Amino acid sequence: MTEYTVSVQAYAKAVLHCAKHPWATVHGLLLAEKKEGKIRFVDAVPLAHNWTNLTAMFDVALQQAQQYAKTKGLSVCGYYVAYEDTKATQLSASGALLAKTLVEADESTVAFVVDAKKLTPGSSAAAFVPHVYAEPQWKEQSSAFGESGKGSGTKGASFVLENNRVVAVTRKLVDERAEVWVHDFDEHLDDVSLDWLQNQALSERIRTT
């Protein structure tokens, strides 16, 4: 069984990306360390809030993210998406297609849909809903990320937050409006000075929270 661990940096960046564009569908990539059957998502790379389909722009962004990950000794094997419809917890057809392109490069890829209902004040549950690819479709891992932040999926995968502070730290950052520090590839296209791959200022903010 493959164990997937989500770090506070990966989780918080993804959630803050959603918080910055609450009216839109947003998506991004997750970068991971891989060792002895364990995969730890250590960072998130926000992609877009304007386009969420498989386009030439997605290919360009993915290639740049893969090159960046390689320089860090990491793999792009995670995809996250938060839908404009806040009730949605299943991958859409376009989301499934985008995530499938990552599976073709790395079969250990998993996708996470952000459940907006679990981002409400007072919620201590992880907002990530994992999906694992089982030919020919994506399967939601309904029992993953229990109230303790730990859980087992149904397709040979288990999911856990790196510690019990992940959700609390992310909530604090949202309350402090730290989403202003998040920049995605969309914004980078309008202003090339924006750091969408590393989001270093936000990384430091998360580290010190």
Side-chain angles (χ1 to χ4, degrees):
M1 176 180 286
T2 302
E3 180 180 287
Y4 294 87
T5 299
V6 181
S7 72
V8 64
Q9 179 156 297
Y11 184 85
K13 278 189 181 180
V15 169
L16 289 167
H17 187 206
C18 304
K20 188 172 185 177
H21 307 284
W23 63 86
T25 293
V26 304
H27 66 164
L29 306 171
L30 296 169
L31 311 187
E33 299 172 337
K34 302 174 73 173
K35 185 177 181 181
E36 299 176 353
K38 295 183 178 181
I39 295 176
R40 179 174 180 267
F41 292 112
V42 299
D43 207 354
V45 175
L47 287 182
H49 59 278
N50 287 326
W51 51 268
T52 52
N53 295 315
L54 186 58
T55 64
M57 295 314 301
F58 176 81
D59 291 336
V60 170
L62 176 58
Q63 289 175 13
Q64 291 187 30
Q66 288 172 327
Q67 291 171 0
Y68 167 70
K70 187 176 182 179
T71 67
K72 301 294 184 180
L74 303 174
S75 300
V76 179
C77 57
Y79 172 78
Y80 72 85
V81 60
Y83 291 108
E84 181 180 1
D85 177 1
T86 57
K87 296 179 181 178
T89 59
Q90 293 278 344
L91 279 174
S92 66
S94 61
L97 184 59
L98 289 170
K100 179 62 164 56
T101 64
L102 302 183
V103 173
E104 292 168 356
D106 188 327
E107 63 182 12
S108 64
T109 294
V110 292
F112 298 96
V113 176
V114 179
D115 184 353
K117 297 187 297 297
K118 294 179 179 177
L119 294 178
T120 56
S123 175
S124 61
F128 274 8
V129 180
H131 291 68
V132 172
Y133 189 71
E135 188 71 39
Q137 60 187 334
W138 289 90
K139 299 288 188 180
E140 180 181 337
Q141 306 297 280
S142 57
S143 61
F145 291 124
E147 290 300 317
S148 65
K150 300 180 180 181
S152 296
T154 57
K155 294 293 178 181
S158 66
F159 298 87
V160 60
L161 299 179
E162 71 173 350
N163 58 51
N164 59 10
R165 296 183 63 249
V166 172
V167 174
V169 167
T170 301
R171 166 54 55 191
K172 186 174 188 294
L173 290 164
V174 170
D175 290 344
E176 293 173 352
R177 303 300 302 272
E179 68 268 17
V180 298
W181 298 95
V182 180
H183 302 298
D184 61 21
F185 184 65
D186 268 348
E187 294 172 291
H188 174 75
L189 293 176
D190 292 330
D191 181 352
V192 296
S193 70
L194 296 178
D195 173 21
W196 71 284
L197 284 169
Q198 300 184 70
N199 276 287
Q200 283 187 319
L202 178 59
S203 295
E204 181 62 16
R205 182 75 175 270
I206 293 170
R207 189 185 69 79
T208 58
T209 298

